[in-house]
Amino acid sequence: MQDARLPEQPVQLSSGSARRSPELSVIVPTFNEAPNVELVVQALVASLRGIDWEVIFVDDDSSDGTTDAVRLIARRDGRVRCIRRIGRRGLAGASIEGMLSSSAPVIAIMDGDMQHDASLLPEMFRRLQAGDDLVIASRFCDSGSAADGFSRTRLSGSRVATRLARMFLHIDVSDPMSGFFAIRRPAFEALAPRLSTQGFKILMDILASTPQPLRTSEMPLHFRARQHGVSKLDNLVAAEFLSLLLAKLTGDALSLRFVLFALIGGFGVVVHLVTLKIALASGLTFWLAQMTAAYVAMTGNFFLNNVLTYRDRRLKGWRLLSGLASFWVVCSIGVIANVGVGQLVHEQASRWWLAGLAGAGLGAVFNYVATSIFTWRAR
């Protein structure tokens, strides 16, 4: 049979100029960073002379015209592309989506806020061509630094997270929290099905998910001050990191989203008990105090899950109120399941703590599945 594959040839652009297949794909997740787009492209043009490259901006439906800024440049430069994501949020998910849509044998991830130095890309590219699987631009190795781009709190938090990752996940690099790295496509493609699309720490996920250690090297990064825009990392990142750590410690038996949901549920238990004590001290009967505490805890859990567990499906406006109502209904059913299973286990085992754990566990699983379907269903 005759080979039906087309011969390799340069891609013809509409302007009539020929473009070679890229050797390097640079993925830049963005959110409200329109002023930075031109700066990023200029930095790549200046740094990647002699390398055939493409840049893919993956934008989480910015309201400041980021996608328009990218498309304006793309009309005159075929190396520039844009993916606009609607109804999805998160740096990790944007990075994975961009990497899967790229075509080069080498893929790099960097931020769009100019805190990452694009002049490091040629050396990262050279090392991968020489045999490395992964090259990390590290703020904490050799002469690297994060003093200009980090507050003291974020710098301390990043160092603590790095120690925890090395201690519990046996990740032996100086900066597993870095957002600037390059990886060979075969290594990424093998890991892609294991990676979480939630959160921000995709590098740590890659390092923790690989069954065999990747051939990894690090190079110093001077983390620079932000040029424009606001940070995509907020105060909830600490909770997301802890959840990712727990998910990886269980070998992904528990998903990152479920771990977040369960942690918030644990916090809800504390809120419930405190509210119950206050209500009883105020003279309410037990059943009324218990009901009040239950719905106060449910309400708190709903809002925390909306901004953290389901931040990529976050409810707003009137949908926030309807979502709260459905959350109350679902979790009320979960309470019934909790009590029923707890009572059954108590009758069989006569251990109150085992009955309580069994009921709480089933209630958490039921609430997670049901609210995923009815409250925060994917759109």
Side-chain angles (χ1 to χ4, degrees), residues 38-120:
E38 182 78 41
L39 298 175
V40 170
V41 175
Q42 289 176 355
L44 294 175
V45 170
S47 300
L48 296 176
R49 300 183 188 279
I51 299 174
D52 293 310
W53 57 274
E54 67 175 352
V55 59
I56 303 171
F57 291 87
V58 186
D59 187 66
D60 285 355
D61 200 23
S62 295
S63 59
D64 72 339
T66 298
T67 54
D68 292 333
V70 176
R71 288 167 181 159
L72 185 63
I73 299 173
R75 291 192 188 105
R76 65 176 187 266
D77 191 333
R79 297 172 296 187
V80 179
R81 290 201 285 134
C82 179
I83 296 175
R84 179 187 175 194
R85 305 202 310 162
I86 298 177
R88 305 191 296 285
R89 288 285 187 272
L91 190 145
S95 298
I96 293 170
E97 203 162 321
M99 295 166 88
L100 290 173
S101 73
S102 65
S103 56
V106 173
I107 313 167
I109 298 289
M110 64 181 291
D111 286 349
D113 51 22
M114 299 302 293
Q115 291 186 292
H116 294 159
D117 185 359
S119 67
L120 300 182

Side-chain angles (χ1 to χ4, degrees), residues 3-317:
D3 192 344
R5 292 177 298 176
L6 294 175
E8 293 185 5
Q9 55 185 347
V11 177
Q12 292 298 128
L13 303 179
S14 57
S15 62
S17 60
R19 178 188 166 207
R20 294 170 59 87
S21 298
E23 303 170 284
L24 170 66
S25 293
V26 182
I27 313 302
V28 183
T30 58
F31 183 66
N32 288 338
E33 290 177 296
N36 292 330
V37 171
E38 182 78 41
L39 298 175
V40 170
V41 175
Q42 289 176 355
L44 294 175
V45 170
S47 300
L48 296 176
R49 300 183 188 279
I51 299 174
D52 293 310
W53 57 274
E54 67 175 352
V55 59
I56 303 171
F57 291 87
V58 186
D59 187 66
D60 285 355
D61 200 23
S62 295
S63 59
D64 72 339
T66 298
T67 54
D68 292 333
V70 176
R71 288 167 181 159
L72 185 63
I73 299 173
R75 291 192 188 105
R76 65 176 187 266
D77 191 333
R79 297 172 296 187
V80 179
R81 290 201 285 134
C82 179
I83 296 175
R84 179 187 175 194
R85 305 202 310 162
I86 298 177
R88 305 191 296 285
R89 288 285 187 272
L91 190 145
S95 298
I96 293 170
E97 203 162 321
M99 295 166 88
L100 290 173
S101 73
S102 65
S103 56
V106 173
I107 313 167
I109 298 289
M110 64 181 291
D111 286 349
D113 51 22
M114 299 302 293
Q115 291 186 292
H116 294 159
D117 185 359
S119 67
L120 300 182
L121 286 169
E123 174 61 17
M124 299 168 82
F125 179 74
R126 186 197 66 77
R127 293 190 187 188
L128 291 170
Q129 283 192 315
D132 282 352
D133 294 314
L134 175 68
V135 181
I136 302 168
S138 170
R139 298 159 294 184
F140 306 127
C141 81
D142 300 331
S143 59
S145 70
D148 292 337
F150 265 4
S151 65
R152 287 186 177 180
T153 301
R154 280 190 62 190
L155 183 58
S156 299
S158 187
R159 290 189 182 277
V160 169
T162 296
R163 285 196 290 269
L164 290 174
R166 298 184 74 171
M167 182 185 306
F168 292 107
L169 299 180
H170 309 293
I171 295 175
D172 191 22
V173 299
S174 67
D175 193 3
M177 317 300 287
S178 176
F180 188 15
F181 62 91
I183 187 170
R184 293 177 65 247
R185 175 170 296 282
F188 166 71
E189 294 284 356
L191 291 171
R194 303 167 178 256
L195 302 178
S196 171
T197 58
Q198 280 190 279
F200 295 90
K201 303 307 177 186
I202 182 173
L203 176 60
M204 192 183 89
D205 197 1
I206 287 173
L207 291 166
S209 299
T210 178
Q212 298 295 329
L214 298 174
R215 290 168 294 185
T216 303
S217 67
E218 297 182 86
M219 52 193 303
L221 167 67
H222 295 282
F223 199 61
R224 302 182 299 201
R226 178 181 302 277
Q227 291 288 316
H228 301 285
V230 296
S231 175
K232 293 180 285 297
L233 308 182
D234 54 31
N235 294 328
L236 301 176
V237 170
E240 287 190 342
F241 165 76
L242 179 60
S243 300
L244 179 60
L245 186 67
L246 292 174
K248 292 304 172 183
L249 283 173
T250 64
D252 291 316
L254 301 177
S255 72
L256 171 58
R257 201 186 293 273
F258 177 76
V259 172
L260 282 168
F261 190 90
L263 287 175
I264 291 172
F267 175 74
V269 171
V270 176
V271 172
H272 181 104
L273 293 176
V274 171
T275 305
L276 179 61
K277 184 175 179 62
I278 294 172
L280 290 173
S282 301
L284 295 181
T285 60
F286 179 81
W287 74 267
L288 185 57
Q290 177 76 335
M291 181 176 294
T292 300
Y295 280 93
V296 167
M298 284 183 200
T299 303
N301 284 6
F302 168 78
F303 285 105
L304 283 175
N305 278 307
N306 193 53
V307 299
L308 182 56
T309 309
Y310 294 98
R311 63 190 304 159
D312 56 330
R313 307 178 191 174
R314 189 173 297 177
L315 304 176
K316 298 178 182 179

